């Protein structure tokens, strides 16, 4: 009796041991599968795909020499965790809708001009005001980026600015020579925004149209000139339909931005944020701030080959032009004051930075 009972208990113990062992193996197997299954998901979640929208054509230096190498550098700096795909030529967003598109998450990143949404960035207009001289795009870009960092305008705090940069000074390209103020009187010149206000103050007749329309308008005599960066002489072939270049480095400066959706930026790992900011600094200094200088140099050579004459205004003539456009600066200060911003302080800061960086980069 005792022997049978002992045998029964022993068998049940062995059975229970087998069952517990099987359960343990099963749990181990499930746990192992869980880890194996979750590993790829974890790796996948660490890769952030970003879309960048801009209006430049795919062949433009802004895409080939800045955006593409910059995106590649960010990929390398974050060890593949942040990848950027560029959508040039307005394939994702129109030029004037880029900033709002980034704010609303249609694009994660955007490159465009502040001036394309005139009035949305009132403080930043200071960097495009006429009457402030810039020797080249390096100096103008440095002034703009340092100025925005110091002024820190509220209007750009709804995104994460990667960098800003500029065309630098623009000049007059005309069919008739402009050697003095009197030569501008009534002359039809293609210009928009603040540039148009400047030309009107000088007695010219500004005509608003896209840069893409200027060649035909010049060839047909609809306008007699254009105001813009020198690169248009080659990039837009306007040296073929104009004869004179009048240097006017106080009439034009166009400000660009590369910016990122704030929520998307905040979602990145801090170490990747730091890596991106390091890349931003490198590309601003080595590529972006001088991007237009390289194009302008090439365009001037092209213009010389086309037989264009270069005109340099006398200092007395420049002073006269600047005195006539000073009310545009005064109007800016008044508008800033109305908005509760220290208008004169902002303008003085930018002029001081211009003096500093013009000497450094001349």
């Amino acid at each position: 009796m005792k022997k049978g009972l002992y045998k029964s208990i022993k068998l049940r113990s062995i059975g229970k041991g087998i069952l517990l062992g099987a359960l343990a193996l099963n749990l181990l197997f499930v746990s192992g599968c869980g880890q194996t299954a979750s590993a790829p998901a974890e790796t996948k979640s660490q890769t952030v795909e970003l879309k960048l929208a801009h209006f430049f054509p795919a062949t433009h230096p802004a895409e080939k020499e800045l955006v593409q190498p910059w995106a590649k550098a960010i990929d390398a700096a974050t060890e593949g965790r942040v990848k950027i795909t560029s959508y040039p030529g307005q394939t994702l967003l129109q030029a004037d809708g880029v900033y709002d598109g980034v704010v609303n998450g249609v694009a994660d990143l955007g490159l465009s001009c502040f001036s394309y949404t005139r009035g949305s960035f009132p403080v930043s207009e200071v960097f495009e005001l006429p009457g402030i001289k810039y020797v080249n795009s390096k100096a103008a870009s440095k002034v703009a980026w340092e100025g925005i960092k110091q002024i820190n305008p509220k209007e750009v705090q709804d995104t994460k600015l990667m960098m800003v940069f500029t065309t630098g000074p623009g000049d007059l390209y005309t069919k008739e020579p402009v050697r003095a103020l009197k030569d501008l009187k009534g002359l039809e010149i293609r210009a928009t925004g603040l540039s148009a206000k400047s030309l009107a103050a000088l007695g010219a007749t500004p005509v608003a149209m896209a840069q893409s329309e200027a060649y035909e308008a010049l060839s047909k005599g609809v306008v007699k000139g254009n105001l813009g960066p020198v690169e248009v002489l080659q990039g837009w072939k306007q040296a073929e339909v104009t004869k004179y270049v009048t240097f006017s480095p106080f009439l034009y400066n166009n400000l660009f931005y590369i910016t990122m959706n704030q929520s998307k930026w905040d979602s990145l790992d801090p170490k990747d944020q730091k890596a991106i900011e390091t890349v931003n600094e490198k590309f601003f200094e080595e590529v972006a701030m001088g991007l237009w200088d390289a194009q302008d140099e090439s365009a001037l050579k092209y213009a010389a080959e086309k037989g264009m004459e270069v005109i340099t205004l006398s200092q007395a003539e420049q002073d006269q032009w600047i005195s006539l456009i000073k009310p545009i600066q005064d109007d800016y200060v008044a508008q800033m004051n109305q908005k509760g911003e220290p208008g004169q302080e902002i303008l003085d800061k930018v002029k001081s930075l211009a003096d500093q960086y013009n000497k450094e980069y001349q």
Side-chain angles (χ1 to χ4, degrees):
M1 179 74 177
K2 288 182 179 180
K3 186 176 181 181
L5 179 62
Y6 173 78
K7 184 177 181 180
S8 175
I9 292 171
K10 185 176 182 182
L11 286 171
R12 279 185 295 197
S13 297
I14 292 171
K16 186 182 290 185
I18 293 171
L19 178 61
L20 290 172
L23 286 170
L25 284 171
N26 189 49
L27 285 171
L28 183 62
F29 177 74
V30 171
S31 175
C33 286
Q35 288 177 355
T36 303
S38 64
E42 185 179 347
T43 301
K44 186 176 180 181
S45 68
Q46 290 180 343
T47 301
V48 180
E49 302 278 353
L50 303 176
K51 296 180 291 185
L52 186 153
H54 70 86
F55 66 91
F56 290 104
T59 56
H60 195 279
E63 168 72 6
K64 294 174 67 178
E65 298 174 21
L66 176 58
V67 170
Q68 287 295 338
W70 173 72
K72 186 177 180 180
I74 286 176
D75 188 337
T78 61
E79 300 177 332
R81 290 184 295 274
V82 179
K83 296 182 179 294
I84 297 170
T85 300
S86 177
Y87 293 82
Q90 303 186 114
T91 52
L92 181 57
L93 288 166
Q94 294 295 304
D96 60 357
V98 168
Y99 195 90
D100 285 344
V102 170
V103 171
N104 297 325
V106 177
D108 303 300
L109 291 150
L111 160 59
S112 193
C113 307
F114 284 112
S115 60
Y116 281 171
T117 46
R118 181 70 63 190
S120 298
F121 306 98
V123 175
S124 303
E125 287 185 10
V126 67
F127 302 106
E128 297 183 352
L129 283 176
I132 302 175
K133 290 185 180 180
Y134 295 107
V135 294
N136 50 37
S137 71
K138 286 187 178 69
S141 295
K142 193 74 172 182
V143 169
W145 194 212
E146 290 301 316
I148 282 182
K149 288 177 182 178
Q150 293 179 31
I151 298 167
N152 195 25
K154 297 174 184 177
E155 63 207 38
V156 295
Q157 292 181 20
D158 51 355
T159 65
K160 169 64 179 178
L161 275 180
M162 301 283 104
M163 67 182 80
V164 301
F165 52 99
T166 82
T167 60
D171 299 300
L172 283 166
Y173 321 111
T174 55
K175 301 173 79 69
E176 304 169 11
V178 176
R179 306 181 192 279
L181 187 64
K182 61 182 178 59
D183 299 326
L184 267 182
K185 297 299 181 184
L187 201 64
E188 297 91 348
I189 307 288
R190 187 217 75 92
T192 58
L194 285 174
S195 298
K197 290 179 68 174
S198 301
L199 288 172
L202 295 174
T205 302
V207 180
M209 67 176 65
Q211 195 67 262
S212 57
E213 301 171 14
Y215 182 96
E216 184 177 0
L218 284 163
S219 65
K220 292 181 177 180
V222 175
V223 294
K224 303 299 191 300
N226 188 12
L227 174 60
V230 177
E231 62 101 358
V232 304
L233 294 176
Q234 183 175 28
W236 298 91
K237 306 299 182 186
Q238 291 179 22
E240 297 176 359
V241 288
T242 54
K243 296 181 180 180
Y244 305 91
V245 181
T246 301
F247 289 144
S248 50
F250 46 82
L251 282 183
Y252 181 96
N253 185 41
N254 197 20
L255 182 62
F256 303 98
Y257 60 80
I258 298 179
T259 201
M260 183 171 178
N261 177 274
Q262 188 66 53
S263 296
K264 185 66 73 171
W265 172 260
D266 292 340
S267 72
L268 297 180
D269 188 295
K271 67 180 179 182
D272 289 335
Q273 291 179 341
K274 184 176 181 180
I276 290 170
E277 289 186 322
T278 299
V279 172
N280 290 347
E281 182 178 348
K282 173 183 173 64
F283 271 79
F284 170 75
E285 293 283 345
E286 297 180 6
V287 182
M289 63 183 281
L291 189 61
W292 259 259
D293 288 337
Q295 296 179 72
D296 289 349
E297 184 178 351
S298 175
L300 278 176
K301 291 179 181 178
Y302 178 80
E305 292 170 1
K306 292 294 181 181
M308 293 190 73
E309 179 184 341
V310 175
I311 299 169
T312 301
L313 298 172
S314 68
Q315 188 59 54
E317 195 70 30
Q318 290 185 50
D319 291 343
Q320 187 179 6
W321 290 34
I322 290 172
S323 69
L324 290 173
I325 56 181
K326 186 180 182 301
I328 299 175
Q329 293 185 6
D330 297 337
D331 183 56
Y332 171 84
V333 170
Q335 288 184 34
M336 288 301 99
N337 292 342
Q338 288 177 1
K339 294 177 182 294
E341 301 283 354
Q344 191 62 53
E345 182 181 327
I346 292 170
L347 180 59
D348 290 344
K349 181 181 292 292
V350 172
K351 287 182 175 180
S352 175
L353 288 170
D355 288 342
Q356 175 186 342
Y357 290 116
N358 280 339
K359 292 175 185 175
E360 185 171 337
Y361 293 106
Q362 65 184 357

